[in-house]
């Protein structure tokens, strides 16, 4: 039996047959005929000639075949024209676009994820530029309704590669209130699920199911691929209302992010204790932690050893927000005092603590570095503890504190009788506070209370160029008030709020298709 010829052997490889002279002649004739046809200017004569040609056929079958052939040739010419137009547009964009590819990539790297995807869909030139990993270093897939699935997230993480710096993921209900002026929950579920258009999540479940726009517990699993390379350089991770993510999935994701500096978790079904343990174990460099409970007031799992491990393993934290948890005074004190670089603390909507942890908070420890403290809508916060704290502020403690929020929709608890609520800030010496701390910004909104007027000092007494109208910036009909000594104090107090604000958007189906490729 003869051996079969090896195709990989160069000596036996079959070379392509040369083009015959007849084929070259046919191609030349086709080019000539097509050129002549495209240069016809009298289009009416084409219609007349075609009708005459059809009538010259004797049988119906011949006429039908001729018509079908004309349609086939026409479709071929149409597709050829479209293809040539796309090639010409690509060349045109590459020539007319003023920036070279490297600078175009840098511009795309400054855009949000949605804009990069839109730009990539316009032409092949932009698509090639958007394929660079730096364009997806900061992945922002925050939406107002569920529209993103695991495949989209994995695709973008894969594109970013080692350039990945930030991931923002999940569903964030639109809110017009800045961070330091409201305790409105950002938790989004089937019980709290109306977007800006007023359409409930339940009304969109059928559409969501068809598009498979569901993030599951494994949505960040690709961070651990290739030995954890994708998540090794991740600096920021924000997760909003990914309802299917549990403790184990979150811990696995954090284990792949040893360089994480900024972690924000809202509405996940995870426990405070296990989350802090995971952060302590895997994210020693973290500087900002924001955690809002999905089940306000029911998570009572935080223990003393967890607090101790957390403050010692994460000494670089400057911002700590634990919202909606059962947090006793001794735990709050351990966190605030133990984190010696802490500047911003937010315990809004947290339960159980009375404010006793505020005593001697500014002596040694981390409390003396506080710049912003938010204790908004803390059910058990007592009036007497706030009064003692303000006395310490007036005594010269907390020199760096510039923003304090003690607003409460249910009023502050009275000493000795929890059911007797205080809806007034009359216990705070406003005049003295303005004189001694002109840059201090106090927010005290009590919807059921009444505003207690105080003797207004003169601008000369305050040694300030700011009018009294700005010092008492709000005299609301509902009894609440805001007190600020200067506009600059208000602005500085909202710097973190500006940093953590989010622009929600709705992706088109075209964008999702592009992301999934």
């Amino acid at each position: 039996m003869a051996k079969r010829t090896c195709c990989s052997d160069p000596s036996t490889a079959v070379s392509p047959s040369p083009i015959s002279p007849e084929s070259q002649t046919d191609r030349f004739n086709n080019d000539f005929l097509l050129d002549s046809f495209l240069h016809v200017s009298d289009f009416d004569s084409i219609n007349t000639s075609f009708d005459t040609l059809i009538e010259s056929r004797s049988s119906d079958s011949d006429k039908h075949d001729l018509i079908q052939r004309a349609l086939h040739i026409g479709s071929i010419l149409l597709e050829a024209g479209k293809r040539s137009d796309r090639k010409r547009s690509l060349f045109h964009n590459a020539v007319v676009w003023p920036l070279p590819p490297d600078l175009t990539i840098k511009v795309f790297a400054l855009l949000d994820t949605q804009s990069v995807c839109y730009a990539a869909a316009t032409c092949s030139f932009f698509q090639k530029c958007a394929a660079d990993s730096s364009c997806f270093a900061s992945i922002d897939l925050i939406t107002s309704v569920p529209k993103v699935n695991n495949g989209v997230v994995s695709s973008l993480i894969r594109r970013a590669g080692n350039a990945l710096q930030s991931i923002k993921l999940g569903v964030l209900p639109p809110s017009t209130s800045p961070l330091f002026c409201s305790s409105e929950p950002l938790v989004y579920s089937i019980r709290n699920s109306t977007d800006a258009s007023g359409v409930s999540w339940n009304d969109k479940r059928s559409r969501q199911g068809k598009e498979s726009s569901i993030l599951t517990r494994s949505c960040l699993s690709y961070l651990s691929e290739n030995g954890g390379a994708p998540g090794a350089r991740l600096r920021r991770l924000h997760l909003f209302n990914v309802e299917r993510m549990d403790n184990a999935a979150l811990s696995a994701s954090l284990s792949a992010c040893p360089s994480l500096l900024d972690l924000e978790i809202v509405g996940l079904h995870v426990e405070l204790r296990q989350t802090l343990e995971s952060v302590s174990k895997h994210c020693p460099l973290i500087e900002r932690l924001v955690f809002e409970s999905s089940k306000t007031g029911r998570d009572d799992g935080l223990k003393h050893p967890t607090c101790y491990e957390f403050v010692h393993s994460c000494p670089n934290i400057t911002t700590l927000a634990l919202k909606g948890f059962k947090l006793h005074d001794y735990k709050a004190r351990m966190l605030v005092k133990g984190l010696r670089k802490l500047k911003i603390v937010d315990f809004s909507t947290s339960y159980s603590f009375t404010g006793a942890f505020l005593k001697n908070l500014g002596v040694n420890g981390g409390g003396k570095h506080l710049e912003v403290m938010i204790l908004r809508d803390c059910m058990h916060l007592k009036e007497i503890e706030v009064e003692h704290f303000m006395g310490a502020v007036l005594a010269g403690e907390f020199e760096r504190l510039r923003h304090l929020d003690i607003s409460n929709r249910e009023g502050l608890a009275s000493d000795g009788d929890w059911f007797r609520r205080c809806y007034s800030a009359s216990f705070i010496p406003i005049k003295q506070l303005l004189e001694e701390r002109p840059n201090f910004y106090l927010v005290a909104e009590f919807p059921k209370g009444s505003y207690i007027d105080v003797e207004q000092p003169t601008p000369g007494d305050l040694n300030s160029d700011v009018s009294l109208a700005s010092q008492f910036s709000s005299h609301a009909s509902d009894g609440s008030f805001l007190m600020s000594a200067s506009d600059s104090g208000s602005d500085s107090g909202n710097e973190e709020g500006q940093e953590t604000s989010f622009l929600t958007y709705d992706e088109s189906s075209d964008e999702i298709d592009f992301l999934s490729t």
Side-chain angles (χ1 to χ4, degrees):
M1 179 181 294
K3 286 188 176 182
R4 185 176 57 183
T5 304
C6 180
C7 297
S8 61
D9 187 355
S11 62
T12 61
V14 179
S15 59
S17 59
I19 301 176
S20 64
E22 292 79 5
S23 299
Q24 292 180 347
T25 302
D26 292 340
R27 180 176 298 179
F28 174 79
N29 291 334
N30 289 337
D31 294 345
F32 177 77
L33 290 175
L34 183 59
D35 183 67
S36 300
F37 179 75
L38 294 177
H39 279 83
V40 174
S41 59
D42 187 1
F43 298 106
D44 292 335
S45 65
I46 295 179
N47 293 330
T48 303
S49 300
F50 186 73
D51 292 339
T52 302
L53 190 60
I54 292 295
E55 293 299 329
S56 66
R57 296 298 188 266
S58 58
S59 64
D60 289 339
S61 61
D62 292 341
K63 293 179 180 180
H64 176 75
D65 292 341
L66 188 60
I67 292 174
Q68 293 301 317
R69 186 173 182 81
L71 292 175
H72 181 63
I73 293 176
S75 64
I76 293 176
L77 288 175
L78 178 62
E79 291 301 322
K82 290 181 178 180
R83 183 175 62 255
S84 298
D85 185 62
R86 288 193 296 267
K87 291 181 179 180
R88 183 177 178 277
S89 298
L90 172 60
F91 177 77
H92 176 78
N93 289 343
V95 172
V96 177
W97 178 249
L99 300 179
D102 57 336
L103 291 182
T104 302
I105 291 173
K106 290 183 179 180
V107 172
F108 284 0
L110 300 176
L111 301 178
D112 59 90
T113 306
Q114 179 194 29
S115 299
V116 174
C117 295
Y118 283 161
T122 58
C123 69
S124 300
F125 175 70
F126 280 179
Q127 185 178 17
K128 290 181 179 180
C129 293
D132 190 87
S133 60
S134 62
C135 296
F136 295 97
S138 297
I139 300 174
D140 188 347
L141 295 176
I142 299 296
T143 61
S144 57
V145 292
K147 285 190 175 182
V148 178
N149 58 27
N150 291 6
V152 174
V153 178
S154 299
S155 176
L156 291 183
I157 294 177
R158 189 181 302 110
R159 292 187 183 192
N162 293 333
L164 185 61
Q165 296 285 322
S166 171
I167 296 179
K168 298 179 181 180
L169 186 63
V171 181
L172 184 65
S175 175
T176 58
S177 302
L179 178 65
F180 290 159
C181 295
S182 174
S183 59
E184 178 183 355
L186 299 178
V187 176
Y188 180 98
S189 67
I190 58 176
R191 295 181 299 275
N192 175 26
S193 54
T194 301
D195 62 11
S197 64
V199 181
S200 67
W201 185 84
N202 289 325
D203 296 335
K204 300 184 179 182
R205 291 185 66 182
S206 59
R207 176 176 181 270
Q208 179 195 31
K210 291 178 181 179
E211 295 182 354
S212 300
S213 303
I214 301 176
L215 292 170
T216 69
R217 64 190 305 274
S218 60
C219 61
L220 294 175
S221 60
Y222 195 79
L223 291 175
S224 303
E225 296 291 332
N226 301 323
R233 300 183 180 182
L234 189 67
R235 297 291 188 270
R236 180 185 293 111
L237 178 61
H238 292 183
L239 301 175
F240 297 92
N241 303 295
V242 184
E243 295 188 356
R244 297 191 178 187
M245 180 170 287
D246 53 19
N247 292 304
L250 179 61
S251 179
S253 300
L254 294 179
S255 66
C257 307
S259 302
L260 198 65
L261 301 178
D262 181 356
L263 176 62
E264 186 161 352
I265 303 172
V266 174
L268 273 63
H269 296 295
V270 295
E271 297 179 359
L272 177 60
R273 177 181 61 82
Q274 295 191 23
T275 300
L276 292 186
E277 289 177 354
S278 298
V279 172
S280 303
K281 182 178 180 180
H282 304 298
C283 309
L285 303 179
I286 192 167
E287 298 177 357
R288 179 179 180 270
L289 175 61
V290 177
F291 192 3
E292 182 173 342
S293 174
S294 62
K295 45 184 181 179
T296 301
R298 288 180 288 171
D299 190 338
D300 192 24
L302 186 61
K303 304 300 181 183
H304 179 277
T306 304
C307 295
Y308 180 84
E309 180 183 2
F310 177 68
V311 299
H312 285 81
S313 300
C314 305
N316 297 321
I317 287 186
T318 59
T319 299
L320 177 65
L322 301 178
K323 304 176 65 174
F325 296 98
K326 280 189 176 181
L327 197 63
H328 298 287
D329 280 285
Y330 79 93
K331 299 176 185 176
R333 183 177 183 83
M334 178 178 293
L335 293 173
V336 177
K337 292 281 288 185
L339 298 172
R340 296 182 176 271
K341 296 183 180 180
L342 192 62
K343 297 181 180 179
I344 300 173
V345 60
D346 183 357
F347 291 153
S348 296
T349 67
S350 291
Y351 285 61
S352 296
F353 68 75
T354 63
F357 76 94
L358 299 172
K359 294 179 181 178
N360 300 321
L361 193 63
V363 180
N364 300 321
K368 64 180 180 180
H369 298 294
L370 284 177
E371 299 179 5
V372 176
M373 177 177 288
I374 305 175
L375 305 176
R376 194 179 184 95
D377 291 328
C378 296
M379 182 63 68
H380 299 89
L381 184 62
K382 289 186 177 181
E383 171 193 3
I384 187 65
E385 300 297 348
V386 175
E387 183 177 1
H388 291 162
F389 178 76
M390 295 307 301
V393 172
L394 292 173
E397 299 182 28
F398 305 99
E399 296 179 353
R400 302 182 183 182
L401 189 65
R402 53 181 170 79
H403 183 109
L404 176 64
D405 189 345
I406 57 170
S407 304
N408 202 309
R409 289 171 292 186
E410 301 298 330
L412 299 176
S414 299
D415 190 30
D417 186 359
W418 185 84
F419 292 100
R420 182 172 174 269
R421 314 298 293 183
C422 172
Y423 294 97
S424 170
S426 59
F427 61 90
I428 300 177
I430 303 295
K431 178 180 177 180
Q432 182 181 358
L433 181 62
L434 289 173
E435 291 175 346
E436 298 185 9
R437 303 287 291 271
N439 293 323
F440 197 93
Y441 189 79
L442 175 66
V443 184
E445 298 175 337
F446 303 103
K448 295 183 180 180
S450 59
Y451 177 73
I452 305 299
D453 202 359
V454 297
E455 181 181 357
Q456 298 180 348
T458 63
D461 293 337
L462 292 179
N463 191 25
S464 173
D465 295 333
V466 183
S467 65
L468 292 176
S470 65
Q471 295 164 7
F472 297 91
S473 57
S474 173
H475 191 165
S477 59
D478 63 358
S480 63
F481 76 91
L482 303 177
M483 184 279 291
S484 174
S486 67
D487 292 338
S488 62
S490 173
D491 292 338
S492 62
N494 281 279
E495 289 175 359
E496 183 69 18
Q498 296 170 358
E499 178 184 348
T500 56
S501 62
F502 299 94
L503 176 64
T504 60
Y505 59 85
D506 294 337
E507 302 91 332
S508 66
S509 58
D510 294 338
E511 180 187 355
I512 295 298
D513 293 339
F514 170 75
L515 292 175
S516 301
T517 57

